[in-house]
């Protein structure tokens, strides 16, 4: 019997791919954002509206991740932004190798911003570094005030948390103050931005923060000030 | 439910060590460290490991030992260190500033016991 000291990260392979992705993004001076949420929180709708506002000023491309269908790619393409769909089959998250494979097929020449919409899931995607510099979580207020405490890791990993569907807050029975408090408990430095894609509430604050964050990471600075 | 992927990576790392040690080498024990502040549920991970090891000739008899690492942190302003007073509350209990994580994010293979031949394996 031989005892072998290993001391290796279980996700070392993913980390290696993520590092290669990150180096490639830096060489291209590309800002890369990982959008995370539960299914149905409004990631694609947030992206559609954000891209309508920003894509005339910032050359943007999108990688979509879903278990099945190319519905989200088609929605993004309808906004006039190049989009690539990864269908994971049964896999509940994107990993860095899937992104590396997509990059081989999806030309990003001249692109300044790459948005990656992860598979809708509050747990698994938080554990897989894709090589991105920025993580934005979309959380709909109707999911309740308690979820940051129940799914702390994803909130903790996010540089910004959009509290989406603010137009539904009056019907939800959710206390915005309690929700904010729970987000800040697990992620004290996270930027919290209440928005509604439908009414435009909070939208200028989000696009202002996002534009500044993109500029920061493209200049090699940390994602948050 | 990415515990299957995690278990599969662990089995790949462990069986790779056995392969390096010759055609008859097999894995007896795999020791992993799983931090409290990871997305990995230990029971689901154990179940995935036990389900997947049967398909891995080098690890079919491998035993999994999990060391759970508690979440600990220190105040970013330096006034406190320890375990959160409320689960996953990462604000300093003394001053409210953000807490930097010291441990609890581990997802590591610590060590692997390899039987160098089948005879050794069968007599154990």
């Amino acid at each position: 019997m031989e005892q072998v000291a290993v001391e290796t990260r279980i996700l070392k392979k993913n980390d290696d791919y993520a590092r290669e992705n990150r180096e490639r993004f830096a060489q291209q001076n590309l800002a890369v954002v990982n959008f995370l949420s539960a299914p149905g929180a409004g990631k694609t709708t947030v992206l559609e509206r954000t891209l309508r506002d920003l894509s005339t000023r910032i050359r943007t491309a999108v990688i979509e991740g879903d278990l099945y269908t190319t519905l989200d790619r088609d929605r993004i393409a309808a906004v006039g932004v190049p989009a690539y769909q990864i269908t994971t089959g049964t896999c509940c998250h994107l990993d860095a190798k899937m992104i590396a494979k997509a990059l081989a097929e999806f030309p990003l020449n001249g692109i300044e911003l790459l948005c990656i919409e992860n598979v809708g899931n509050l747990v698994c995607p938080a554990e897989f570094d894709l090589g991105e510099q920025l993580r934005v979580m979309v959380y709909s207020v109707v999911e309740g005030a308690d979820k940051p405490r129940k799914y702390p890791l994803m909130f903790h990993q996010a540089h910004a948390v959009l509290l989406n569907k603010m137009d539904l807050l009056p019907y939800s029975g959710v206390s915005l103050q309690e929700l904010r408090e729970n987000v800040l408990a697990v992620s004290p430095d996270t930027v919290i931005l209440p928005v509604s894609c439908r009414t435009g509430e909070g939208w200028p604050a989000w696009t202002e923060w996002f534009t500044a964050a993109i500029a920061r990471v493209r200049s090699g600075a940390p994602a948050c000030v | 439910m990415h515990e299957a992927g995690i278990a599969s990576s662990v089995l790949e790392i462990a069986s790779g060590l056995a392969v390096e040690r010759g055609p008859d080498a097999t894995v007896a024990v795999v020791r992993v460290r799983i931090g409290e502040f990871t997305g990995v549920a230990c029971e689901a991970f154990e179940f995935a490991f036990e389900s997947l090891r049967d398909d891995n000739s080098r690890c079919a008899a491998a035993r999994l030992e999990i060391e759970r690492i508690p979440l600990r942190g220190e105040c970013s302003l330096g006034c406190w260190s320890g375990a959160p007073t409320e689960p996953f509350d990462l604000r300093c209990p003394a001053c409210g500033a953000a807490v930097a994580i010291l441990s609890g994010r581990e997802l590591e293979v610590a060590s692997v016991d390899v039987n160098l031949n089948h005879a050794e394996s069968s007599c154990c």
Side-chain angles (χ1 to χ4, degrees):
Chain A
M1 182 85 75
E2 177 186 354
Q3 186 175 119
V4 187
V6 184
E7 302 297 338
T8 298
R9 286 258 309 153
I10 293 173
L11 296 176
K12 183 179 180 304
K13 270 196 175 170
N14 186 76
D15 295 346
D16 291 344
Y17 275 105
R19 193 176 53 249
E20 284 172 26
N21 291 347
R22 189 171 285 113
E23 285 166 6
R24 182 176 167 177
F25 299 149
Q27 278 166 13
Q28 276 190 252
N29 194 19
L30 187 63
V32 181
V33 189
N34 188 357
F35 282 84
L36 304 146
S37 83
K43 286 190 300 303
T44 314
T45 309
V46 163
L47 267 176
E48 284 173 318
R49 187 162 182 151
T50 304
L51 297 174
R52 278 195 203 99
D53 290 348
L54 297 188
S55 63
T56 52
R57 287 182 280 134
I58 303 169
R59 284 178 305 239
T60 307
V62 174
I63 292 177
E64 286 287 341
D66 280 296
L67 272 67
Y68 305 105
T69 81
T70 57
L71 293 169
D72 284 358
R73 181 198 65 191
D74 299 344
R75 284 174 61 182
I76 298 301
V79 182
V81 170
Y84 181 95
Q85 181 78 50
I86 297 173
T87 46
T88 63
T90 55
C91 190
C92 54
H93 58 270
L94 293 177
D95 65 37
K97 187 179 179 182
M98 295 178 199
I99 298 300
K101 195 165 162 245
L103 294 175
E105 297 177 3
F106 187 41
L108 294 174
N109 301 334
I111 296 293
E112 298 163 300
L113 168 66
L114 173 65
C115 297
I116 301 171
E117 183 180 339
N118 217 310
V119 178
N121 180 334
L122 275 186
V123 184
C124 312
E127 206 61 77
F128 291 82
D129 181 9
L130 306 180
E132 76 278 8
Q133 305 104 338
L134 200 58
R135 281 177 296 280
V136 173
M137 188 172 171
V138 179
Y139 184 78
S140 66
V141 292
V142 291
E143 291 171 72
D146 54 349
K147 301 305 177 293
R149 299 277 192 171
K150 292 179 174 175
Y151 304 88
L153 184 58
M154 187 172 286
F155 288 88
H156 181 76
Q157 303 281 54
H159 297 100
V161 176
L162 298 190
L163 301 181
N164 191 28
K165 307 191 188 181
M166 279 295 289
D167 51 305
L168 298 180
L169 185 68
Y171 314 103
S172 67
V174 171
S175 157
L176 188 62
Q177 192 185 344
E178 187 186 349
L179 174 55
R180 275 179 179 276
E181 164 76 8
N182 284 337
V183 173
L184 290 175
V186 299
S187 193
D189 291 333
T190 285
V191 174
I192 298 176
L193 295 159
V195 297
S196 165
C197 292
R198 184 158 296 178
T199 66
E201 177 183 347
W203 207 255
W206 152 241
T207 52
E208 189 182 323
W209 181 87
F210 191 42
T211 308
I214 292 164
R216 275 196 299 276
V217 298
R218 291 192 74 217
S219 70
C224 284
V225 283
Chain B
M1 197 20 220
H2 58 302
E3 282 79 2
I6 302 276
S8 168
S9 296
V10 169
L11 287 164
E12 195 180 322
I13 291 167
S15 64
L17 293 170
V19 169
E20 284 171 15
R21 280 159 180 76
D24 293 331
T26 56
V27 175
V29 183
V30 184
R31 296 179 193 85
V32 298
R33 293 191 198 102
I34 307 288
E36 183 189 1
F37 198 30
T38 62
V40 176
C42 287
E43 280 183 20
F45 175 54
E46 281 169 325
F47 182 66
F49 182 90
E50 287 163 15
S51 305
L52 291 170
R53 72 180 167 192
D54 296 340
D55 299 329
N56 187 312
S57 58
R58 302 288 187 144
C59 296
R63 192 174 80 243
L64 179 66
E65 290 180 7
I66 298 177
E67 184 187 357
R68 193 69 162 164
I69 310 291
L71 177 60
R72 291 180 62 82
E74 66 180 0
C75 173
S76 51
L77 301 179
C79 60
W80 172 89
S81 71
T85 46
E86 292 287 323
F88 307 110
D89 194 325
L90 290 166
R91 293 167 300 186
C92 172
C95 75
V99 164
I101 293 173
L102 297 174
S103 71
R105 290 285 295 126
E106 296 80 359
L107 268 183
E108 299 163 354
V109 179
S111 64
V112 174
D113 288 358
V114 180
N115 280 325
L116 297 175
N117 57 60
H118 279 311
E120 188 181 6
S121 164
S122 58
C123 76
C124 295

